[in-house]
Amino acid sequence: MIDNDTGDQRSPQRRLIALQIEHADLDALIDQAAEAGAPLDELLLRRLKKRRLGLRDEMARLQWLIDPKEPA
């Protein structure tokens, strides 16, 4: 499988793990920004949340490729 974002040939399982790590990092970053109480750059925060949502969608797609619920 060739990934359009990185152009590498990693297995779906490895790509899924990488996305899960990135998603967890974004979760932590967003949580820290919310807890800081400092004025936040709302545009940056919206972009981070949009990226996190995109990662979640890509993880779901890869999970389905790895373990489809329907018989082949």
Side-chain angles (χ1 to χ4, degrees), residues 4-6 8 12 19 24 26-27 30-33 35 39 41 45 47-48 50 52 55 58 62 67:
N4 292 334
D5 292 337
T6 60
D8 62 4
L19 291 174
L26 274 175
D27 268 344
I30 291 168
D31 288 345
Q32 287 174 357
E35 292 173 0
D41 181 355
L45 189 57
R47 287 179 177 166
L48 291 174
K50 186 174 182 177
R52 182 177 61 177
L55 288 172
E58 181 68 10
L62 284 172
D67 186 27

Side-chain angles (χ1 to χ4, degrees), residues 1-11 14-15 18:
M1 174 181 161
I2 297 177
D3 185 348
N4 292 334
D5 292 337
T6 60
D8 62 4
Q9 295 182 342
R10 291 190 274 181
S11 70
R14 290 186 65 180
R15 178 73 178 137

Side-chain angles (χ1 to χ4, degrees), residues 21-51:
I21 292 169
E22 186 177 351
H23 186 271
D25 290 346
L26 274 175
D27 268 344
L29 185 62
I30 291 168
D31 288 345
Q32 287 174 357
E35 292 173 0
L40 300 174
D41 181 355
E42 288 299 320
L43 181 59
L44 176 61
L45 189 57
R46 279 190 283 158
R47 287 179 177 166
L48 291 174
K49 288 181 178 183
K50 186 174 182 177
R51 174 68 181 148

